[in-house]
Amino acid sequence: MKNEKTFRIGLAMAGAVSAGAYTAGVMDYLLEALENWQRAKELGIPGVPKHQVVIEVLSGASAGGMTAVLTAAAIQRKFPHINAHNYQTPEARENPLYHSWVNLAEDHHSDTMDQMLSTEDIIQSPSMNPGREVRSIFNSLFVEQIARRMIDSTTKDPSLKRPYFAADLEVLTTLTNLRGFDYQLVFTTASGKREDRMTMHKDLAHFQLNNSGVYRHDGKIPFHFESPEGLGKNLLVDAAVATGAFPAGLAPRLMTRDPRYINDNHLLKLTHGRALLVDPLTDYRAVCVDGGVINNEPYDLAETILMRRSSERRGHSHKTEDIDSQELRKSAFAFDSTVVMIDPFPTYEKKPDTGYFGLQALKFTAPQLFGAMRQQLMVKTDLLAKAYDDNDFTRFMIAPIRTKNGITQSNSLACSALDGFGGFFSKQFRIHDYLLGRRNCQRFIREFLCVPVTANNPVICYGYGDQREDNSLSLFLNNHGWLPVIPDIRISPDQKSLILPLEEKEFPYPSIQLKYLVNLEKKVQIRVGAILDNLSISTDPEISRPVLLSARKIGRQSWFTRKIVKPLLSFAMKLLYTFGKFIGKKLAARKFIDTVILDIDARGLLEKETKKTNH
């Protein structure tokens, strides 16, 4: 049967801020392995495993969501893969994942911190921000620039075939919707029917590769790259920018969607009985921020999509409630679908709190409350009941592991400094994490995304059947005697046999100069000054006039107050504000740079020669 020849995979990419460079490196190696395996099949080289692997969904939050969208565009063209040997060559700019996440929008005139600390988004963008609003702490215009550079320039290469991606690939980014979707719970009371109103802010942008462009009334936004204009490109850009809009740090995104993309989507409805979430006659507009606020690890969404697709292939009921009650086959013997999560900041190392003191002072409970609220938002109660199963082959994770001389190091990602913002301070940090992603992916598909030979999994038996008969499994078996779902092979120079790829080597842990960080202080001052200058109460006459009229009605001011006291107070307030802003921005900039230096130094990323330099 066809289903016994194919493994179906859903990729879930967790939020990571600048450590999206790690996720991009993982994806680069994964694509390289799949390409070489497919090419070996096409060449008819003896001993090539015959089964198929098809990636059916790319889901992601924050940086992971951006990578999911970029990957959907990247697979439409050919590109070189980047490793420790060629990352400094012109080829690096031709790889869309490397170029987007490592080069970012840097050029010879400005690096990423120059761009993030500039004031262009506030005072030099009259077309995009005519009101000079402060929308974020950092200038994040570079994020849209990268997304548009990638998506707008992509047209499908008609000669390129990638059968390891589904022809109807689904792409999903999580969003935190500040407008939200309204729900009502009706109660019967003595005075009649009354509604308890609530608002759901968990949102997503759900796309499906659709070359015909015909909407299928399922809430999945059709997109393709068949022509330079393509389909759905603007919404793909919106989704990438919005899911990566780190709260306060990076600017939010106003998204406008056809109401059908919300009302028809089963993933957005809390109840199947609710017909409409939004007005079906009006485009739905909402300001959205980082999808990781509510769902930072969307493996649940990838799993749900895989389950629905599996149920539909097997001819089960098309009713949403029936499909959602199904489960993926879990055991090593039976499974043919699995979720692989790429998570730069996994939480499995966090230990339960055994020394709880029950502190009640406000200074302790206030910050704990915000932490508790965010943790509760991300709890996936429907999956917890299914989590404790040792024979579950439906969930795998690729997480950062850095070694030096074979010894695992405490700090794996350079970009993890400053809660994930560290990679914006140095391209070297992003290069390291990208190459670490490749190294970790290679080890993962060789050693962990594997199935015991003794399980007699139907897909594995079909794929490696020839090798089992002629006893040539040694090229593929891992250290435990298991066989990989994705064989990591390369083709010999004469294109007649299979060989193993070279091991991705350890890459030196990077560092940054103290002098560079200190010199950012002046730029931070300018940025803070621009923020303070434009964080003011509106002076719009239409807004101010009613307030002024109300004030005048309270009582007329005396001549002395109007002519003497008020001008003096106004001058004093302006002087005080100017002085306060001058002192405030200097203190804020110094505190910011000190925090950056301390965190980077604590992670071993500060260049040793300059550690003793006075600051």
Side-chain angles (χ1 to χ4, degrees):
M1 292 177 62
K2 184 177 180 180
N3 286 349
E4 295 179 342
K5 299 179 181 180
T6 305
F7 279 118
R8 316 272 174 177
I9 292 180
L11 293 177
M13 309 179 206
V17 198
S18 67
Y22 174 83
T23 304
V26 170
M27 286 304 304
D28 188 29
Y29 194 88
L30 182 62
L31 290 173
E32 185 174 1
L34 289 167
E35 284 174 16
N36 279 277
W37 181 24
Q38 179 62 29
R39 185 162 166 260
K41 289 180 182 178
E42 292 169 357
L43 291 172
I45 296 177
V48 179
K50 298 179 297 182
H51 66 286
Q52 301 288 330
V53 163
V54 177
I55 296 172
E56 296 197 323
V57 56
L58 300 171
S59 69
S62 192
M66 298 172 72
T67 306
V69 172
L70 293 173
T71 300
I75 60 176
Q76 308 301 318
R77 58 169 109 164
K78 298 175 183 176
F79 55 87
H81 298 282
I82 305 304
N83 53 46
H85 302 290
N86 65 351
Y87 75 95
Q88 293 178 304
T89 69
E91 284 187 317
R93 294 182 64 86
E94 298 173 26
N95 181 302
L97 293 169
Y98 185 94
H99 190 38
S100 296
W101 272 112
V102 177
N103 292 334
L104 296 179
E106 293 186 354
D107 54 36
H108 297 299
H109 307 290
S110 63
D111 64 14
T112 300
M113 287 312 299
D114 286 333
Q115 296 165 10
M116 294 180 72
L117 294 175
S118 77
T119 59
E120 178 188 3
D121 59 322
I122 301 174
I123 63 178
Q124 296 166 319
S125 299
S127 60
M128 293 182 291
N129 188 7
R132 294 173 65 154
E133 298 174 334
V134 176
R135 296 173 180 172
S136 56
I137 295 172
F138 295 106
N139 179 351
S140 55
L141 293 179
F142 75 101
V143 178
E144 179 170 357
Q145 180 184 340
I146 294 166
R148 288 212 171 275
R149 180 181 70 196
M150 178 65 196
I151 294 168
D152 289 349
S153 66
T154 296
T155 303
K156 180 176 175 58
D157 181 346
S159 68
L160 182 62
K161 307 297 181 185
R162 294 188 189 271
Y164 39 87
F165 278 94
D168 58 349
L169 174 72
E170 297 185 47
V171 180
L172 185 148
T173 70
T174 63
L175 304 168
T176 299
N177 183 331
L178 299 186
R179 178 182 180 183
F181 306 117
D182 295 328
Y183 278 87
Q184 298 83 34
L185 184 62
V186 179
F187 288 90
T188 300
T189 72
S191 58
K193 299 288 185 180
R194 292 293 182 267
E195 296 177 342
D196 181 25
R197 300 179 183 273
M198 61 194 78
T199 302
M200 180 180 75
H201 295 277
K202 181 167 63 174
D203 195 359
L204 51 87
H206 192 175
F207 298 87
Q208 187 163 43
L209 192 58
N210 182 336
N211 292 340
S212 71
V214 177
Y215 177 60
R216 296 167 180 160
H217 305 284
D218 53 7
K220 300 168 189 175
I221 306 168
F223 78 98
H224 66 64
F225 297 92
E226 296 297 312
S227 63
E229 298 77 22
L231 177 67
K233 284 187 172 183
N234 284 332
L235 272 176
L236 284 169
V237 171
D238 283 344
V241 175
T243 191
F246 190 90
L250 302 176
R253 185 75 169 188
L254 177 62
M255 292 188 66
T256 301
R257 285 171 280 177
D258 186 318
R260 296 178 299 173
Y261 300 152
I262 297 168
N263 289 329
D264 296 345
N265 196 298
H266 69 280
L267 293 174
L268 284 174
K269 294 183 179 180
L270 293 179
T271 170
H272 303 305
R274 175 74 182 274
L276 301 174
L277 280 176
V278 299
D279 183 350
L281 302 179
T282 307
D283 282 350
Y284 179 78
R285 290 162 56 85
V287 174
C288 297
V289 298
D290 194 328
V293 172
I294 294 178
N295 189 352
N296 195 54
E297 297 164 328
Y299 56 85
D300 56 324
L301 297 174
E303 183 175 276
T304 298
I305 291 171
L306 284 180
M307 285 192 296
R308 290 181 64 87
R309 292 173 70 106
S310 176
S311 295
E312 290 168 0
R313 280 195 305 273
R314 291 171 180 141
H316 292 171
S317 168
H318 288 278
K319 292 183 179 180
T320 299
E321 55 268 34
D322 292 339
I323 292 175
D324 289 347
S325 67
Q326 304 294 323
E327 289 188 0
L328 297 178
R329 298 169 178 171
K330 294 182 178 181
S331 70
F333 165 74
F335 90 101
D336 59 4
S337 298
T338 192
V339 175
V340 176
M341 187 167 75
I342 307 169
D343 195 345
F345 302 133
T347 57
Y348 56 72
E349 293 181 348
K350 184 178 179 181
K351 305 298 182 185
D353 186 0
T354 57
Y356 185 70
F357 297 106
L359 301 174
Q360 301 178 64
L362 182 62
K363 63 181 180 180
F364 299 117
T365 58
Q368 287 179 22
L369 175 62
F370 288 107
M373 291 169 65
R374 184 166 187 271
Q375 290 297 324
Q376 183 61 38
L377 281 172
M378 294 190 292
V379 169
K380 299 175 174 65
T381 55
D382 56 327
L383 293 182
L384 286 177
K386 301 186 291 184
Y388 299 99
D389 187 346
D390 292 335
N391 191 36
D392 188 347
F393 278 71
T394 64
R395 295 190 191 98
F396 291 84
M397 179 191 289
I398 306 176
I401 299 176
R402 179 174 70 92
T403 59
K404 184 177 181 181
N405 300 324
I407 301 173
T408 300
Q409 304 297 296
S410 56
N411 294 313
S412 296
L413 295 182
C415 292
S416 66
L418 305 163
D419 291 329
F421 274 80
F424 295 133
F425 286 83
S426 172
K427 182 177 178 178
Q428 295 304 312
F429 291 3
R430 303 190 298 271
I431 291 172
H432 171 272
D433 289 2
Y434 187 93
L435 296 177
L436 182 65
R438 283 182 54 88
R439 176 176 166 82
N440 287 173
C441 183
Q442 181 185 57
R443 183 166 178 254
F444 172 76
I445 61 177
R446 285 185 182 182
E447 298 294 331
F448 299 100
L449 188 60
C450 301
V451 185
V453 175
T454 55
N456 290 319
N457 180 281
V459 183
I460 290 292
C461 287
Y462 169 77
Y464 292 93
D466 294 343
Q467 292 85 349
R468 294 179 76 169
E469 290 177 6
D470 62 16
N471 297 317
S472 61
L473 286 178
S474 58
L475 182 67
F476 306 101
L477 287 169
N478 70 5
N479 293 330
H480 302 288
W482 293 21
L483 289 168
V485 170
I486 300 174
D488 190 19
I489 51 177
R490 299 296 182 268
I491 301 168
S492 63
D494 62 5
Q495 298 192 348
K496 293 182 179 180
S497 61
L498 302 177
I499 57 176
L500 290 177
L502 296 175
E503 181 182 359
E504 297 284 316
K505 297 296 184 182
E506 295 173 349
F507 194 75
Y509 202 51
S511 62
I512 190 171
Q513 290 185 350
L514 179 60
K515 181 180 179 181
Y516 171 82
L517 297 175
V518 172
N519 288 340
L520 289 175
E521 189 170 320
K522 183 63 177 177
K523 297 174 184 179
V524 175
Q525 286 186 35
I526 294 171
R527 177 73 188 177
V528 172
I531 291 173
L532 292 175
D533 282 343
N534 292 280
L535 275 178
S536 59
I537 300 174
S538 174
T539 56
D540 186 331
E542 297 304 316
I543 298 175
S544 304
R545 187 175 291 111
V547 178
L548 293 175
L549 290 175
S550 298
R552 288 168 186 162
K553 288 179 182 178
I554 294 175
R556 293 184 176 275
Q557 297 174 337
S558 66
W559 176 90
F560 181 75
T561 299
R562 287 185 287 111
K563 298 295 185 180
I564 305 297
V565 176
K566 188 174 179 180
L568 285 174
L569 281 175
S570 177
F571 174 76
M573 290 300 293
K574 288 179 179 178
L575 187 65
L576 182 62
Y577 172 75
T578 302
F579 178 75
K581 188 186 76 171
F582 176 75
I583 298 299
K585 70 181 182 181
K586 291 193 70 173
L587 290 174
R590 173 57 60 89
K591 179 65 175 176
F592 174 78
I593 295 300
D594 285 349
T595 301
V596 169
I597 291 171
L598 288 173
D599 193 66
I600 285 179
D601 188 29
R603 295 175 183 273
L605 292 164
L606 199 62
E607 195 169 289
K608 291 182 179 179
E609 292 79 5
T610 58
K611 275 189 179 181
K612 296 182 180 179
T613 301
N614 292 326
H615 171 46

